[in-house]
Structure formats: structure tokens, C-alpha cells
Amino acid sequence: MSDLKQLAMVQTQSKSLAAGLFLALFFGGFGMLYAGLIWGLIGICVELILWLIFFFTAGLGFFLIVPWHILAALITMASVNMHNKRLLARL
């Protein structure tokens, strides 16, 4: 049993903080899918709303999109960090 448990732990991989940061900064809500499905779906909905504001206000929504990408990166980094801590706790 311990061999099977050890093999299962070797198969799980931690997520890269740098990849999460890059994806969230450049792709916003879509990049948040790397952190988790729920966060990704929430991020995509917010992103869609912000892009609609951007198009209907002739570009003024840009000042909302940039802070959203920064916030998405922070949320993604926290989520990836929590995922990696949970993996280490299983060891």
C-alpha cells in the first residue's frame, strides 16, 4: 500500500508560479484557468464584461482591463501557491 501511495505522489505535479503569473497577466480570465476551473470561469465572465465596457465606451474601459489583469495575476498566484502547499502537505 505504501508503494502505491508513494507512486501516486510522484505522479502529481506542482504548478509553476511563473507560468500562472504570465498567463494571468497576458490573458486575464483565460489565464486564470491555469489556477483552477472555478477561478477561470469567474475570470472569463469578468473579462467579458470588461471588454464589453471597453467597446461601448470607445476605449475608456481599458483603464479597467489593466487593473483586472493585475488582480487576476494576484489571484492566480495565490491559488497556485495554495495548490502547491496542499501537495506538500500530502507528503
Side-chain angles (χ1 to χ4, degrees):
M1 180 68 178
S2 65
D3 292 334
L4 182 61
K5 188 176 180 181
Q6 187 176 13
L7 179 65
M9 285 186 195
V10 171
Q11 294 297 327
T12 58
Q13 282 188 328
S14 62
K15 294 183 179 182
S16 169
L17 215 68
L21 176 66
F22 174 80
L23 290 169
L25 276 176
F26 288 102
F27 300 112
F30 290 103
M32 290 178 73
L33 284 170
Y34 181 76
L37 182 63
I38 300 298
W39 281 115
L41 293 175
I42 292 169
I44 290 171
C45 290
V46 171
E47 188 90 21
L48 179 64
I49 292 168
L50 290 177
W51 279 107
L52 287 173
I53 292 171
F54 175 79
F55 287 120
F56 288 119
T57 60
L60 293 177
F62 179 76
F63 296 107
L64 297 174
I65 292 173
V66 172
W68 165 246
H69 281 225
I70 294 170
L71 181 62
L74 293 174
I75 292 170
T76 301
M77 287 175 47
S79 181
V80 166
N81 196 19
M82 189 168 36
H83 169 78
N84 291 341
K85 284 183 179 180
R86 270 189 258 135
L87 283 181
L88 286 176
R90 290 183 189 172
L91 294 176

